[in-house]
């Protein structure tokens, strides 16, 4: 059994990965064949499912969305933080954070929860964006399937630090080794071609760019 402190640390690590990622990969069996689909997602740590809720969405006609509630699925996210370059090919690696959430999802039918879920998915890409766009139309909601996955069964893996080389390779001293940091970079916002000229870039859009800027 995990101690309370350990469980809290694991949950914090899980939320860190999920909040840092903008895309996940949904693994589901369709017609007897494994299918892994890249998609956006949303997270509600206080959601109605056990240990919080991870939300997915897609077309109501998507086989992945149709078949997923009848089976256990797997959702994976990965954030790469660095390229670890060792003195030998064998010891090359990456610094990363990854999370895997597994379980049986449910279809979200409640109207209010569907809207909260879709807003969470929008805000996963650009935090605060859902408050600035128009509401969902009935037609859009009817065309969209929403799945809720409990965050109870999840695992987190990560690596940090420099290369771990063999002593003999270190002693030779003839090969450079180290870490190349990796981070997300966002450029300046480019207005749509049909945007009215007097609408400025909103603060929440500027914020997401600034938070991703390093160096």
């Amino acid at each position: 059994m995990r101690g309370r402190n350990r469980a809290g640390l694991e949950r914090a690590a899980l939320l860190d990965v999920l909040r840092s990622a903008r895309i996940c990969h949904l693994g589901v069996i369709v017609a007897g064949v494994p299918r892994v689909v890249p998609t956006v997602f949303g997270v509600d740590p206080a959601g109605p499912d056990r240990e919080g809720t991870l939300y997915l969405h897609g077309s109501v006609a998507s086989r992945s969305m149709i078949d997923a509630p009848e089976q256990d699925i797997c959702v994976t996210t990965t954030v790469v933080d660095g390229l670890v370059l060792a003195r030998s090919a064998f010891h090359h690696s990456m610094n990363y954070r990854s999370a895997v959430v597994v379980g049986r999802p449910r279809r979200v039918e409640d109207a209010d929860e569907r809207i909260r879920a879709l807003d969470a998915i929008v805000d996963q890409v650009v935090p605060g964006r859902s408050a600035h766009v128009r509401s969902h139309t009935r037609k859009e909601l009817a065309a969209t399937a929403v799945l809720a996955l409990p965050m109870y069964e999840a695992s987190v893996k990560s690596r940090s630090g420099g290369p771990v080389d063999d002593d003999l390779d270190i002693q030779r001293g003839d090969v450079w080794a180290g870490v190349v940091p990796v981070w997300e970079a966002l450029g300046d916002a480019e207005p749509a071609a049909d945007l009215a000229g007097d609408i400025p870039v909103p603060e929440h859009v500027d914020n997401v760019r600034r938070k991703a800027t390093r160096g």
Side-chain angles (χ1 to χ4, degrees):
M1 298 293 291
R2 293 178 301 172
R4 180 175 299 177
N5 184 55
R6 176 64 176 169
L9 291 173
E10 290 175 351
R11 180 164 174 78
L14 172 64
L15 293 176
D16 170 65
V17 177
L18 295 178
R19 286 167 174 159
S20 299
R22 296 187 199 277
I23 194 168
C24 72
H25 288 81
L26 163 65
V28 59
I29 303 295
V30 177
V33 178
R35 179 180 295 181
V36 178
V37 183
T39 184
V40 292
F41 66 100
V43 176
D44 183 357
D49 298 285
R50 191 172 182 183
E51 297 295 336
T53 306
L54 188 151
Y55 289 110
L56 304 163
H57 83 308
S59 167
V60 292
S62 165
R63 290 306 311 180
S64 297
M65 293 289 107
I66 294 171
D67 292 356
E70 309 304 322
Q71 60 184 281
D72 287 343
I73 66 170
C74 174
V75 174
T76 304
T77 60
T78 303
V79 179
V80 177
D81 295 318
L83 310 179
V84 181
L85 310 181
R87 295 168 178 84
S88 66
F90 181 80
H91 287 299
H92 275 61
S93 186
M94 288 188 183
N95 287 338
Y96 68 95
R97 291 164 287 154
S98 69
V100 177
V101 183
V102 298
R104 182 154 301 196
R106 60 180 174 86
R107 292 185 181 89
V108 179
E109 305 290 356
D110 178 79
D112 289 339
E113 187 183 1
R114 281 167 56 81
I115 290 174
R116 290 197 306 272
L118 293 171
D119 286 348
I121 292 170
V122 170
D123 289 338
Q124 182 73 23
V125 180
V126 178
R129 182 65 179 168
S130 65
H132 292 263
V133 298
R134 67 159 173 80
S135 301
H136 310 281
T137 66
R138 285 188 179 182
K139 182 177 180 180
E140 291 168 343
L141 290 173
T144 305
V146 179
L147 300 180
L149 180 64
M151 289 163 50
Y152 175 68
E153 292 190 48
S155 63
V156 177
K157 291 183 65 178
S158 65
R159 186 199 189 280
S160 61
V164 180
D165 276 307
D166 295 335
D167 289 341
L168 288 177
D169 290 328
I170 296 173
Q171 292 168 12
R172 286 177 58 181
D174 58 350
V175 177
W176 186 91
V179 176
V180 179
V182 174
W183 60 80
E184 182 182 61
L186 302 180
D188 293 335
E190 300 178 359
D194 55 0
L195 186 73
D198 58 348
I199 300 180
V201 176
E203 184 177 7
H204 68 278
V205 175
D206 253 353
N207 283 342
V208 73
R209 181 185 61 82
R210 284 197 295 266
K211 288 180 180 178
T213 301
R214 293 180 56 180

